[in-house]
């Protein structure tokens, strides 16, 4: 099993550009999450999904959209990137009472 | 909203020394978790605590769930160079009947171990 994978690993965007980050898990997990990590602030939840076809807002959802069309994939979109969205993005998944399992992260820089 | 204060922010220690770090919260959590993050990687779960007062070990790591449910502690004994990384605490509450497993993370403790 590959676990949780994230694509791409690195990306540089110009202000106003759009992009989609892909998270894929092969563990048949129901729950999936997108976090951002900024220096000195820990991880903050952007959006999450409790199952295929469902999504919900976390604590910092503004400027992001998500979709969960397939159970194994959770996409995070930035429609118009801003420098404040420069961060490291982590995806995680979970099943039942087990704890969250994190991917390796995507480092995004917006200039 | 819920906040976690993790301390210290960073530690510089010699190999072989013991390490202690803690997290405190303004509200109650039903679960406390401790994660480690290596450079360029995602967080990896070290220890999970589910009962107030619980003391759990994982090799040289020991963590405790505070009796008030508002704090947790992590100790690392006899540190080695591979202990280097960022350690995060995370708490989960079931307030409001939420079942999606929302975690609140501390700011992290950066650990440096000198050989």
């Amino acid at each position: 099993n590959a676990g949780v994978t994230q694509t791409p690993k690195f990306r540089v965007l110009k202000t106003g550009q759009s992009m989609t980050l892909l998270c894929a898990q092969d563990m048949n997990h129901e729950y999936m999450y997108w976090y951002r990590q900024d220096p000195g602030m820990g991880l903050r939840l952007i959006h999450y999904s409790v199952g295929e076809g469902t999504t919900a807002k976390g604590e910092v959802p503004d400027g992001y959209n998500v979709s969960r069309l397939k159970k194994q994939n959770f996409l995070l979109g930035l429609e118009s990137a801003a420098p404040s969205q420069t961060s490291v993005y982590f995806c995680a998944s979970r099943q039942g009472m087990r704890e969250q399992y994190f991917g390796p992260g995507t480092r995004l820089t917006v200039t | 909203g819920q906040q976690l204060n993790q301390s210290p922010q960073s530690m510089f220690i010699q190999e072989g020394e013991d390490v202690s770090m803690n997290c405190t919260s303004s509200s109650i959590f039903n679960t406390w978790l401790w994660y480690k993050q290596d450079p360029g990687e995602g967080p990896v779960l070290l220890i999970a605590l589910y009962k107030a007062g619980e003391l759990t070990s994982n090799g040289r790591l020991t963590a405790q769930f505070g009796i008030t449910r508002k704090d947790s502690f992590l100790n690392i004994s006899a540190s080695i160079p591979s202990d280097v990384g960022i350690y995060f605490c995370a708490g989960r509450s079931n307030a409001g009947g939420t079942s999606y497993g929302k975690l609140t993370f501390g700011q992290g403790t950066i650990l440096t171990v000198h050989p």
Side-chain angles (χ1 to χ4, degrees):
Chain A
N1 289 347
V4 178
T5 58
Q6 293 184 231
T7 309
K9 294 189 185 300
F10 304 93
R11 185 73 185 269
V12 178
L13 287 179
K14 293 184 178 179
T15 298
Q17 288 185 321
S18 63
M19 79 162 294
T20 300
L21 282 67
L22 170 63
C23 175
Q25 51 94 5
D26 61 0
M27 299 172 285
N28 203 35
H29 286 178
E30 287 292 336
Y31 301 90
M32 297 187 74
Y33 310 82
W34 274 108
Y35 293 88
R36 60 177 290 172
Q37 182 180 33
D38 301 295
M41 298 188 72
L43 282 79
R44 293 181 293 168
L45 183 64
I46 304 172
H47 286 281
Y48 65 96
S49 169
V50 300
E52 181 178 322
T54 71
T55 63
K57 294 179 179 180
E59 57 181 310
V60 288
D62 294 343
Y64 305 95
N65 57 76
V66 288
S67 64
R68 183 102 181 265
L69 299 180
K70 294 182 178 180
K71 186 177 184 180
Q72 62 268 34
N73 296 336
F74 195 27
L75 279 63
L76 178 71
L78 286 73
E79 292 185 348
S80 179
S84 61
Q85 294 177 303
T86 292
S87 188
V88 182
Y89 292 86
F90 288 100
C91 176
S93 69
R94 184 176 74 91
Q95 180 67 24
M97 298 303 292
R98 294 177 179 269
E99 300 303 335
Q100 293 180 27
Y101 187 92
F102 285 84
T106 294
R107 186 173 296 273
L108 175 66
T109 301
V110 182
T111 61
Chain B
Q2 295 171 325
Q3 292 184 333
L4 287 184
N5 292 313
Q6 186 171 348
S7 65
Q9 289 187 339
S10 62
M11 301 183 73
F12 298 85
I13 63 171
Q14 291 293 128
E15 183 177 359
E17 290 183 356
D18 296 343
V19 172
S20 291
M21 60 190 77
N22 70 84
C23 273
T24 59
S25 169
S26 58
S27 54
I28 290 172
F29 286 107
N30 293 317
T31 298
W32 282 95
L33 307 172
W34 285 92
Y35 287 87
K36 182 192 178 194
Q37 184 179 23
D38 291 325
E41 302 291 333
V44 174
L45 183 66
L46 298 174
I47 293 179
L49 303 159
Y50 299 108
K51 290 176 59 176
E54 181 180 359
L55 185 71
T56 297
S57 294
N58 178 6
R60 293 177 296 104
L61 278 62
T62 301
Q64 183 162 23
F65 191 143
I67 198 70
T68 66
R69 296 180 178 267
K70 292 185 177 182
D71 55 10
S72 180
F73 305 86
L74 176 69
N75 295 316
I76 305 173
S77 63
S79 59
I80 59 178
S82 62
D83 289 335
V84 165
I86 306 177
Y87 292 80
F88 290 99
C89 63
R92 181 171 62 234
S93 70
N94 294 327
T98 58
S99 60
Y100 61 87
K102 177 183 180 298
L103 295 178
T104 300
F105 283 83
Q107 305 97 318
T109 294
I110 302 171
L111 179 63
T112 303
V113 180
H114 294 288

